[in-house]
Amino acid sequence: MIDSSSVRSYLLGLQQRITGSIAAIDGGVFASDPWEKEPDEPLQGNGITMILEQGEVFERAGCGFSHVRGPKLPPSATQHRPELAGAPFEAMGVSLVFHPRNPYVPTVHMNVRMLVATPASGAKACWFGGGMDLTPYYGFEEDAVHFHQTCKAALTPFGEDKYPRFKKWCDEYFYLKHRNEQRGVGGVFFDDFQELGFEGSLDMMRSVADSFLAAYLPIVERRKDTPYGERERDFQLYRRGRYVEFNLVWDRGTHFGLQSGGRTESILMSMPPLASWSYQRPVEADSAEARLTSEFLVRRDWL
Amino acid sequence: MIDSSSVRSYLLGLQQRITGSIAAIDGGVFASDPWEKEPDEPLQGNGITMILEQGEVFERAGCGFSHVRGPKLPPSATQHRPELAGAPFEAMGVSLVFHPRNPYVPTVHMNVRMLVATPASGAKACWFGGGMDLTPYYGFEEDAVHFHQTCKAALTPFGEDKYPRFKKWCDEYFYLKHRNEQRGVGGVFFDDFQELGFEGSLDMMRSVADSFLAAYLPIVERRKDTPYGERERDFQLYRRGRYVEFNLVWDRGTHFGLQSGGRTESILMSMPPLASWSYQRPVEADSAEARLTSEFLVRRDWL
């Protein structure tokens, strides 16, 4: 039995827990912006966009909840499920991107979502998606290992196959083909998931979401007071340009959201506060900056 | 008779003239980066990327020439010409984006290009595209009028209809649907142009390209020494974020170039040196910043 109101409550609670912890470590406050779709818009629904900008630890940290209903599933959602094409649907999720100020603290992304479709002839279909991934500016093996260990621990109770499958999927998804590099050190990513039935699949999604703070906060604590100068700041701004490139060129959610009339300012919460570009920026051989690309932005088994 | 070597010479000269004038006004020097496609790449050909970064007047100014040949026209190029689908082709052009340092000087874009296709059964087909458009951070009516007047004067000898048609086309193309705003105050844009035959169409393209410096330099001269402070700089960085959004989300050349294996660093010469994002950035009522959106980033008849 699909109980979407309990999933909604869970997701709203998740948003509160995560923003509460991030605000506590930062010392700042998240602004909360509840929104509702206008009656004449193609999608109906509401959401809460929460954002902390120009904090001590986080230069821009956005965490959004949204819950929408539409009369017809878009083609991009039914590529693997032609029997659901055009069915009425309900989608809800929490999505976050946190951009720290200190270049030694990695940027992080997490998203969990549920989609329910109600085809005219048949029972409701429900599936889940989600994951989290880490994007360092300066690579530390122990951070990548900790992040992946936490992801693995969250998934292993749901089957030994889950972490390796979703780790690989993450590497494949968060890849900048035009740069031939990974967005970061990866993590886990899954979509269209219903293998464990409604309850089991929901539990797995919750397990991933509930492990987010354990995966990320220790890394923030460990790196946030590392001294840095102009060199590290410049490199961070330059690397953030790649984050922009990924999100606007390759990320399906962002790209199609913007092209299809999504809520722009909520979608673009993932943009960094400041980013730079320069032509064929030179990198000093054997530097930490060079090692980021050669040792961290590649597909690696971190465990 | 299609003489592509004379077009190549013209375009290389154009790149030299434009970068020479920009370097003179800036006091800096363009780095010149000639490149050649590897034999195993799908496209063959070469180009010269010229870029001036961190100059006095221009924070990032890129101007590229490229000349490539391919075995098969991509589908995106033959939407309006099914008879040429899959034909071998040759493409050459000059493309530039100049990002000034002073927020009172507008960013400018210009591009001219020629495409020749050789279908197995039939004569060569040749068409031209191009245009230029202006993106101010602080709007000045006299700048927009001067820019449009120069575009119109370049096109009128080729028919009274050209400026109005290409002005409208520019407004339609350089539009951020997800923001419901124009990229800037427009200019002219044309594509698939062969109405005047090879010689006449080439002459028209040259007339547009040859008027670029006359359209832009007087505006640079007029604004480049305007005093500004943090407020104007912040607004400029914020508006540059929109430039990034347009190029990565909506610009067909950029988006498909990156997705299909084009030369990334040359394509992304159009990116600003530094850009910022902030959530629902407030704008003071009746300020110059508010007027940019309400009076300049709208479709207007400037003449």
Side-chain angles (χ1 to χ4, degrees):
Chain A
M1 179 51 202
I2 296 170
D3 178 4
S4 72
S5 74
S6 79
V7 181
R8 184 184 163 99
S9 303
Y10 166 75
L11 292 171
L12 285 166
L14 177 72
Q15 185 187 32
Q16 287 304 317
R17 272 189 288 141
I18 290 175
T19 53
S21 294
I22 293 293
I25 206 170
D26 186 273
V29 175
F30 275 81
S32 184
D33 186 17
W35 52 265
E36 187 130 13
K37 292 274 184 189
E38 299 295 326
D40 61 342
E41 289 185 271
L43 295 184
Q44 290 297 296
N46 54 59
I48 303 173
T49 297
M50 296 185 69
I51 192 156
L52 185 162
E53 293 187 297
Q54 303 302 331
E56 279 291 316
V57 177
F58 292 95
E59 208 172 323
R60 192 164 198 234
C63 180
F65 163 80
S66 73
H67 183 184
V68 297
R69 285 184 186 79
K72 273 175 82 165
L73 269 177
S76 60
T78 53
Q79 281 173 323
H80 307 296
R81 296 168 198 284
E83 74 280 11
L84 298 177
F89 70 96
E90 178 178 357
M92 64 177 93
V94 164
S95 186
L96 65 83
V97 174
F98 298 157
H99 290 286
R101 189 178 290 283
N102 188 312
Y104 288 102
V105 184
T107 285
V108 75
H109 161 249
M110 195 275 284
N111 169 245
V112 283
R113 55 195 180 273
M114 177 180 83
L115 220 141
V116 184
T118 314
S121 55
K124 287 189 181 200
C126 177
W127 61 97
F128 296 87
M132 57 176 112
D133 70 288
L134 194 71
T135 307
Y137 303 96
Y138 287 88
F140 294 96
E141 198 156 323
E142 63 172 319
D143 294 354
V145 170
H146 167 78
F147 193 80
H148 277 270
Q149 265 168 348
T150 314
C151 290
K152 185 180 182 182
L155 285 165
T156 299
F158 301 91
E160 289 287 339
D161 61 317
K162 301 297 176 298
Y163 169 76
R165 275 168 60 196
F166 299 169
K167 187 271 183 204
K168 183 162 176 278
W169 203 342
C170 187
D171 284 343
E172 286 161 3
Y173 187 84
F174 293 103
Y175 172 63
L176 284 78
K177 193 179 158 200
H178 67 290
R179 299 287 191 181
N180 187 26
E181 69 187 24
Q182 298 299 127
R183 174 160 96 170
V185 296
V188 288
F189 179 93
F190 61 97
D191 204 358
D192 287 321
F193 190 84
Q194 51 176 6
E195 284 167 39
L196 304 176
F198 176 76
E199 288 298 340
S201 302
L202 172 60
D203 282 351
M204 189 189 81
M205 182 197 85
R206 288 172 57 148
S207 182
V208 168
D210 290 341
S211 70
F212 168 74
L213 290 170
Y216 186 54
L217 286 192
I219 299 171
V220 178
E221 291 286 5
R222 189 147 68 207
R223 307 288 167 210
K224 75 183 172 57
D225 300 316
T226 313
Y228 67 93
E230 217 174 302
R231 172 185 178 134
E232 292 83 4
R233 175 66 171 170
D234 283 352
F235 187 66
Q236 179 197 45
L237 298 185
Y238 170 70
R239 292 296 322 173
R240 282 179 179 169
R242 302 292 169 96
Y243 212 83
V244 172
E245 292 174 20
F246 180 82
N247 286 9
L248 298 185
V249 177
W250 298 104
D251 187 64
R252 287 191 292 268
T254 304
H255 199 81
F256 290 110
L258 294 177
Q259 291 216 332
S260 65
R263 191 170 188 270
T264 295
E265 285 286 272
S266 298
I267 296 170
L268 294 183
M269 242 170 29
S270 64
M271 292 290 107
L274 197 64
S276 73
W277 281 266
S278 75
Y279 187 74
Q280 294 182 335
R281 191 182 197 277
V283 179
E284 197 184 304
D286 296 321
S287 63
E289 291 83 3
R291 279 194 301 276
L292 177 75
T293 312
S294 61
E295 294 177 23
F296 290 87
L297 304 182
V298 291
R299 295 185 193 184
R300 258 176 82 174
D301 183 359
W302 292 101
L303 301 184
Chain B
M1 181 50 202
I2 295 169
D3 178 3
S4 70
S5 73
S6 80
V7 181
R8 182 184 165 99
S9 303
Y10 167 74
L11 291 172
L12 285 166
L14 177 72
Q15 184 187 32
Q16 288 303 316
R17 272 188 289 139
I18 291 176
T19 53
S21 293
I22 293 293
I25 206 172
D26 185 89
V29 176
F30 275 80
S32 185
D33 185 18
W35 52 265
E36 187 130 11
K37 292 274 184 188
E38 299 296 326
D40 61 342
E41 289 185 89
L43 295 183
Q44 289 297 295
N46 52 60
I48 303 173
T49 296
M50 295 184 71
I51 191 155
L52 185 162
E53 293 187 296
Q54 304 302 331
E56 277 292 314
V57 177
F58 292 96
E59 207 172 324
R60 192 164 199 235
C63 180
F65 164 79
S66 75
H67 183 186
V68 297
R69 284 183 187 80
K72 275 175 81 167
L73 268 177
S76 59
T78 52
Q79 280 173 326
H80 307 296
R81 296 168 198 285
E83 74 280 12
L84 297 177
F89 70 97
E90 178 178 357
M92 65 176 91
V94 163
S95 186
L96 66 82
V97 173
F98 297 157
H99 290 285
R101 191 178 289 284
N102 189 311
Y104 288 101
V105 183
T107 284
V108 75
H109 161 249
M110 194 275 285
N111 168 246
V112 284
R113 55 194 179 273
M114 178 181 82
L115 218 142
V116 184
T118 314
S121 55
K124 287 189 182 202
C126 176
W127 59 97
F128 296 87
M132 58 176 112
D133 71 289
L134 194 70
T135 306
Y137 303 95
Y138 287 87
F140 294 96
E141 197 155 325
E142 62 172 320
D143 294 354
V145 169
H146 166 78
F147 193 82
H148 277 269
Q149 265 169 347
T150 314
C151 289
K152 186 180 181 182
L155 285 164
T156 299
F158 302 90
E160 288 288 337
D161 61 318
K162 301 298 176 297
Y163 169 76
R165 275 169 61 196
F166 299 168
K167 188 269 183 205
K168 182 162 177 278
W169 202 343
C170 187
D171 283 344
E172 286 161 4
Y173 187 83
F174 293 102
Y175 171 63
L176 285 77
K177 194 180 157 199
H178 67 290
R179 299 287 191 182
N180 188 26
E181 68 187 27
Q182 298 298 127
R183 173 159 97 170
V185 297
V188 288
F189 179 93
F190 61 97
D191 203 358
D192 287 321
F193 190 85
Q194 51 176 4
E195 284 166 40
L196 304 175
F198 175 76
E199 288 297 339
S201 302
L202 171 60
D203 282 350
M204 189 189 81
M205 182 197 85
R206 289 173 56 146
S207 182
V208 169
D210 290 341
S211 70
F212 168 74
L213 289 169
Y216 185 55
L217 285 192
I219 300 172
V220 178
E221 291 286 5
R222 188 147 68 206
R223 307 289 168 208
K224 73 183 174 60
D225 300 317
T226 313
Y228 67 93
E230 218 175 299
R231 172 185 177 134
E232 292 83 4
R233 175 67 171 171
D234 283 351
F235 187 65
Q236 179 197 45
L237 297 186
Y238 170 70
R239 292 298 320 172
R240 281 179 179 169
R242 301 293 169 96
Y243 212 83
V244 172
E245 291 174 22
F246 179 82
N247 286 9
L248 297 185
V249 178
W250 298 103
D251 187 63
R252 286 191 293 269
T254 304
H255 199 82
F256 289 109
L258 293 178
Q259 292 216 331
S260 64
R263 194 173 187 270
T264 295
E265 286 285 90
S266 298
I267 296 171
L268 294 183
M269 241 170 30
S270 64
M271 291 292 106
L274 197 64
S276 72
W277 281 266
S278 72
Y279 187 74
Q280 294 183 336
R281 190 182 197 279
V283 179
E284 197 184 304
D286 297 321
S287 62
E289 291 84 3
R291 279 195 301 277
L292 177 75
T293 313
S294 62
E295 294 177 23
F296 291 87
L297 305 183
V298 291
R299 294 184 193 185
R300 258 176 82 172
D301 184 359
W302 292 101
L303 300 183

